[in-house]
Amino acid sequence: MDRTEKLVQALREAGLRLTPQRLAIVRLLATTDQHPTAQMIYEQLRPDYPSLSLATVYNTLETLVDLGVVNVLGSAGDDAVHYDADTDPHVNLACISCHRVIDLPSQYVHALEQEVATTSGYRLLGARVVYYGLCPDCQREAARQPAGGRRHRRRRRRRGEHHQTQSGSEE
Amino acid sequence: MDRTEKLVQALREAGLRLTPQRLAIVRLLATTDQHPTAQMIYEQLRPDYPSLSLATVYNTLETLVDLGVVNVLGSAGDDAVHYDADTDPHVNLACISCHRVIDLPSQYVHALEQEVATTSGYRLLGARVVYYGLCPDCQREAARQPAGGRRHRRRRRRRGEHHQTQSGSEE
DNA sequence: CTCTAAACTTGGAATGATTATAAACTAGAG
DNA sequence: CTCTAGTTTATAATCATTCCAAGTTTAGAG
Ligand SMILES: [Mn+2]
Ligand SMILES: [Mn+2]
Ligand SMILES: [Zn+2]
Ligand SMILES: [Zn+2]
């Protein structure tokens, strides 16, 4: 609930309006640990905000990123940008197979960010500390399937593909 | 010249063919400090390889990324993915105004990467350590232009936009 | 409250980076 | 030199993201 307040505060201080859509997006972003994409946010809010537009999600994300309260992590193997409302220094781990992104506590990122802030000469707006590879689950998965020598050419995932295999009762 | 060899070696060991196109792309990637996008590579090689196709650039980049010898840094404010053939632990600084990406030496990234490798449980394929913001030049630039309160809505950059203002004799 | 200008939202169209395809080429093993 | 699986390439297709023109809503002045 504190992170939500931080984003709301940022909007207020920037003199921007606090619309229900923005509030909903902010709340979702601030409370999830999912590092969602615009599409994910859109789908998760649609039930409660039937009129919500994807364009608004993108607009709001851009606004929050410009305000420096949301970081742009980039793609996780899917072709969509993932966002992170947790701007405290931390490491993100992206699985290029299941496209999930999780956080990893680290004792060095703080020093790293500090170092960058003081030595770069840049006016920093955001961080993108992501290591990508295969998560434990997907490694096992890969071990099962002898990984048919298919090199090259990847299939593009369809628009509405959901992730979530946690132990899921999806679909 | 050593980095070039590393990429070439990776292709060889994977049993992939060493075509002139791949070699050219590899050489460019291995020797530049530019963190180029596919388009940039394409444009820089076209003079010497008139028949080169953008598709080949993308294909080769994917191959190199899959081999783990090239990292995907993501966008720098432009809407194109930047690549980095330097896979040694280091920090990248992206300017979201001039879209340039430079390296920053750091004494902590090594420990960080080490930490991630040993504690994550992930099979790591690549790193994306990027801090984004405004480079010193663009900060000055911004100071000059009172930064007209234009919030929201960004203009999309056109396909052939070149960067390079180093002290350039462009155009 | 009421009113209103400015800020937002929205559906739908447009854009353009990246991918897919199919046909023509060639690296390189034998 | 031969032969073919791996590559390249031109071109079409895809689809995440951005743009646009209207229709709404917010928040502050009166
Ligand atoms: Mn995170
Ligand atoms: Mn770099
Ligand atoms: Zn996974
Ligand atoms: Zn700059």
Side-chain angles (χ1 to χ4, degrees), chain B residues 125-140:
Chain B
L125 282 172
R128 183 184 302 161
V129 181
V130 184
Y131 287 85
Y132 53 91
L134 291 180
C135 71
D137 285 352
C138 289
Q139 283 178 59
R140 270 191 283 288

Side-chain angles (χ1 to χ4, degrees), chain B residues 15 19 22 27 29 39 41 44 67 71 82 84 89 95 121 142:
Chain B
T19 66
R22 282 181 175 165
R27 271 209 271 259
L29 271 172
Q39 182 73 42
I41 295 174
Q44 292 185 41
L67 292 177
N71 283 340
H82 290 249
D84 192 343
C95 176

Side-chain angles (χ1 to χ4, degrees), chain A residues 33-35 71 73 83-88 90-93 101-104 129:
Chain A
D33 59 343
Q34 260 194 96
H35 305 85
N71 283 341
L73 300 186
Y83 295 87
D84 193 342
D86 181 0
T87 52
D88 293 331
H90 71 278
V91 171
N92 294 284
L93 291 172
V101 180
I102 66 173
D103 291 331
L104 181 75
V129 181

Side-chain angles (χ1 to χ4, degrees), chain B residues 33 35 73 83-86 88 90-93 101-104 129:
Chain B
D33 59 343
H35 305 85
L73 300 187
Y83 295 87
D84 192 343
D86 180 359
D88 294 331
H90 70 278
V91 171
N92 294 284
L93 291 172
V101 180
I102 67 173
D103 291 330
L104 181 75
V129 181

